[in-house]
Each structure stands twice: as C-alpha cells, then as structure tokens.
Amino acid sequence: MCPIIFKYGDFVISGYWLLIAVGLLAGYIYLVAANAGLKDRKLPWYHRNNLFALGMISIIAGGTLLGLL
C-alpha cells in the first residue's frame, strides 16, 4: 500500500487513514441499507448513529494500538 496518497504542504492523507474512512463510509451505507430492508423491527436513527460512532471509535483506537505494537 502506498503510504502517502496526497500531500499538499503540511496536509498529508495517508493510505491507511483513507482506507479507514472508506471502510467507515461503506459500513454506514450497509447499516442504513440493511435497516431499510427490515419492516417490523427497524432501528431508530439515533441507534444507527450510536452504532456507527462506536464502530468509528473502535476502529481508530484499535488501529492506533496496533500501530504502536
């Protein structure tokens, strides 16, 4: 994987964080689409957003801890 995707002055987008962002976006789209298919037991929007926030925190914390190892 290319370590640096885009660099403009001090602003750097690394490939690792770009793929994390793409994965989070894909996960949220999947969560919304799967919830739309449910008829009788839909999750409220705030539960969906809480699940997304928990996943985002877990991915960032896990990736940072793994990087430190």
Side-chain angles (χ1 to χ4, degrees), residues 28-49:
Y28 189 73
I29 290 171
Y30 174 75
L31 186 63
V32 169
N35 193 34
L38 299 175
K39 293 187 182 191
D40 55 346
R41 296 185 344 179
K42 283 191 173 187
L43 285 174
W45 63 270
Y46 49 88
H47 286 314
R48 258 193 341 246
N49 290 343

Side-chain angles (χ1 to χ4, degrees), residues 4 7 9 13 15-16 20 27 34-35 37 41 45 49-50 53-54 56-57 59 64 66-67:
I4 296 176
K7 184 175 182 180
I13 296 178
Y16 180 74
I20 285 177
N35 193 34
R41 296 185 344 179
W45 63 270
N49 290 343
N50 287 343
L54 182 63
M56 184 172 58
I57 291 169
I59 287 171
T64 303
L66 186 62

